[in-house]
């Protein structure tokens, strides 16, 4: 259950990411649980949980994180590679009582088309909160909307905004497709 009380407007120190951040990992966008996140207005691009082992992050704490995502070109839509701010969930989704861990990324951008099969490079800059169980889907969605605001405000700070230009984000050479 989410503890009561106001949330911090930003996450992480103003001076910039502190270790273990920035964390870098990548994976191919796969089909998720198909629970209608999109219908809730919060589509999440899932990558295989084995993506965490790229860089040795399999022991990363479950929770909600923010950072930047680089998306590879999509032959299907003709879109170019690009970088977007994102918020993401790593964990068991207690609200849904999942039995497998998932890695799902909500890009803070409005897309006209899906991009399943594209490759996604992630630079995680900070931890927002642990994952919670919720009394209702409505309160889960409300909290995710707040995560999006906290993530945006956090990345508006100079020491975080500069990671938008991290070369890792648009480096799709020799990416091995994990979890296929
Ligand atoms: P799934 O259960 O297959 O992950 P979702 O309802 O979570 O389905 O939708 C995720 C898909 O929606 C992504 O794989 C991507 O192709 C598409 N999508 C469109 N806009 C976004 C966005 N802003 N962030 C993440 N994914 C998006
Ligand atoms: N699921 C949970 O069960 N608990 C959470 O605290 C939680 N936080 C999330 C935060 C973000 C930013 C995102 C993108 C997802 C989160 N989820 C959480 C996963 C959510 O249950 C999943 O995306 C559903 O598919 C939404 O319907
Ligand atoms: Mg999803």
């Amino acid at each position: 259950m989410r503890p009561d009380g106001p949330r911090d407007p930003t996450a992480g120190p103003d001076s910039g990411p502190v270790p273990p951040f920035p964390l870098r990992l990548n994976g191919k966008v796969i089909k998720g649980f198909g629970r209608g996140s999109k219908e809730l207005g919060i589509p999440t691009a899932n990558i295989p949980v084995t993506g965490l082992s790229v860089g040795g992050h399999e022991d990363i704490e479950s929770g909600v994180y923010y950072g930047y995502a680089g998306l590879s070109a999509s032959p299907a839509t003709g879109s170019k590679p690009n970088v977007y701010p994102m918020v993401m969930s790593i964990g068991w989704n207690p609200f849904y009582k999942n039995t497998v861990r998932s890695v799902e990324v909500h890009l803070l951008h409005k897309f006209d088309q899906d991009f399943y099969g594209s490759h996604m490079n992630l630079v995680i800059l900070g931890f927002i909160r642990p994952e919670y169980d919720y009394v209702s889907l409505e309160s889960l969605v409300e909290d995710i909307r707040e995560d999006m605001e906290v993530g945006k405000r956090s990345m508006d700070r100079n020491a975080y905004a500069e990671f938008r230009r991290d070369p890792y984000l648009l480096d799709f050479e020799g990416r091995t497709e994990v979890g296929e």
Side-chain angles (χ1 to χ4, degrees):
M1 196 68 57
R2 159 151 270 290
D4 286 329
R7 296 185 48 172
D8 290 336
T10 54
D14 291 350
S15 52
V18 286
F21 307 110
L23 283 174
R24 297 179 176 87
L25 60 131
N26 68 84
K28 186 177 143 167
V29 179
I30 55 170
K31 280 272 178 196
F33 298 102
R35 280 197 194 108
S37 315
K38 207 176 284 171
E39 286 70 28
L40 296 173
I42 315 168
T44 60
N46 294 54
I47 63 168
V49 71
T50 45
L52 289 176
S53 60
V54 181
H57 307 309
E58 39 295 77
D59 56 354
I60 192 173
E61 187 184 342
S62 290
V64 181
Y65 295 84
Y66 67 89
Y68 291 103
L71 205 58
S72 67
S74 167
T77 68
S79 69
K80 301 227 156 48
N82 209 349
V83 175
Y84 306 94
M86 59 84 181
V87 287
M88 66 185 288
S89 153
I90 299 176
W92 303 93
N93 298 9
F95 182 73
Y96 290 100
K97 313 217 168 6
N98 283 357
T99 52
V100 290
R101 220 170 171 221
S102 68
V103 178
E104 22 178 334
V105 178
H106 175 66
L107 302 175
L108 299 170
H109 179 82
K110 173 98 182 64
F111 291 86
D112 293 330
Q113 274 162 309
D114 287 350
F115 44 83
Y116 289 108
S118 287
H119 205 90
M120 199 159 60
N121 293 334
L122 303 174
V123 174
I124 306 179
L125 299 175
F127 177 83
I128 299 182
R129 62 171 175 89
E131 49 175 6
Y132 297 120
D133 198 351
Y134 290 89
V135 288
S136 65
L137 185 60
E138 195 178 49
S139 50
L140 167 65
V141 170
E142 199 178 298
D143 236 16
I144 296 178
R145 297 238 157 259
E146 187 63 29
D147 295 328
M148 292 159 65
E149 294 307 314
V150 172
K152 270 188 234 166
R153 276 194 296 269
S154 297
M155 283 180 275
D156 271 345
R157 300 173 295 181
N158 286 334
Y160 291 83
E162 63 187 40
F163 283 92
R164 193 176 187 121
R165 297 185 299 274
D166 189 319
Y168 180 86
L169 289 166
L170 291 174
D171 182 7
F172 299 106
E173 289 301 313
R175 286 276 177 260
T176 44
E177 303 295 3
V178 286
E180 288 202 88

